[in-house]
Amino acid sequence: MRLVIARCSVDYTGRLNAHLPLATRLLVHKGDGSLLVHSDGGSYKPLNWMSSPCTLTVEEPDAESRSAGVLEHWRVTHAKTGDALLVRIYEVLHDSAHELGIDPGLQKDGVEADLQRLLAEQVDVIGDGLTLVRREFPTAIGPVDLLLRNPAGGTIAVEVKRRGDIDGVEQLTRYLELLGRDPHLAPVTGVFAAQEIKPQAKVLAADRGIRCVTLDYEGMKGVESGAPRLF
């Protein structure tokens, strides 16, 4: 992972256009190729980002940019959509790289672990005729909570959360990218399942072709009746 603190401006072009004017920001370039642009506020959320699969190319600025004080251009291009993030670097205050190694993944709390177990026993919540392939299906970037076999062909990867937000959708997106390369599993579709799913996560999931399922935890435990709500 490379961490750069720089005075920079950022322009995103593609399905939407966005501009961040010149300011001092933290640029995080991860091992999977993704780039995140952070400010000193806003909690954990980046101001802008490009998720993998993408490539970063460092370019020499043109004459107009050089005259404005730009040292170099970072151009990050998404491999599938063609969306691009252009970072104009005016001054580098810090630049370091760190090898983090393989992360063991987030340990689920009691409710989240129960949700995964219950859903594995009640896969009809996701859809009729589905069968469980495996819980914690291993991949090179971490285990998929549930992998289901679709009777119509292909498989379904399910990410289970207690509260579903954008990070969970991004996590499932990475799994789908990887699993989809396996001809024995393809085509692979995604389901994001949680007790509560934030509106922003639903919008991002819909954009990625991922279906959202809101889980009735008490109903699945048999405490009270109730059917999960599908979106």
Side-chain angles (χ1 to χ4, degrees), residues 98-111:
H98 308 271
E99 179 57 56
L100 302 187
I102 299 175
D103 192 277
L106 182 67
Q107 301 299 312
K108 299 179 183 297
D109 64 21
V111 171

Side-chain angles (χ1 to χ4, degrees), residues 45-65:
K45 290 188 64 176
L47 297 171
N48 214 325
W49 70 92
M50 182 69 75
S51 56
S52 63
C54 60
T55 56
L56 186 153
T57 305
V58 178
E59 303 173 347
E60 287 291 328
D62 55 26
E64 183 179 353
S65 293

Side-chain angles (χ1 to χ4, degrees), residues 185-205:
L185 301 177
V188 184
T189 56
V191 170
F192 191 51
Q195 280 184 281
E196 174 189 349
I197 303 177
K198 294 183 178 179
Q200 299 93 329
K202 291 180 182 179
V203 171
L204 182 60

Side-chain angles (χ1 to χ4, degrees), residues 146-231:
L146 302 177
L147 190 69
L148 309 181
R149 180 68 64 185
N150 189 340
T155 51
I156 300 173
V158 184
E159 182 64 26
V160 182
K161 300 291 185 185
R162 186 159 59 95
R163 292 188 176 87
D165 57 20
I166 287 177
D167 286 348
V169 177
E170 293 283 8
Q171 181 181 1
L172 179 54
T173 300
R174 292 192 292 272
Y175 290 145
L176 294 173
E177 293 278 359
L178 191 63
L179 293 171
R181 301 173 193 168
D182 188 336
H184 299 292
L185 301 177
V188 184
T189 56
V191 170
F192 191 51
Q195 280 184 281
E196 174 189 349
I197 303 177
K198 294 183 178 179
Q200 299 93 329
K202 291 180 182 179
V203 171
L204 182 60
D207 182 68
R208 302 281 172 85
I210 294 170
R211 184 162 59 98
C212 290
V213 176
T214 303
L215 302 174
D216 178 1
Y217 180 47
E218 300 301 327
M220 292 172 69
K221 288 195 302 181
V223 174
E224 57 185 45
S225 62
R229 300 177 296 279
L230 305 185
F231 295 86

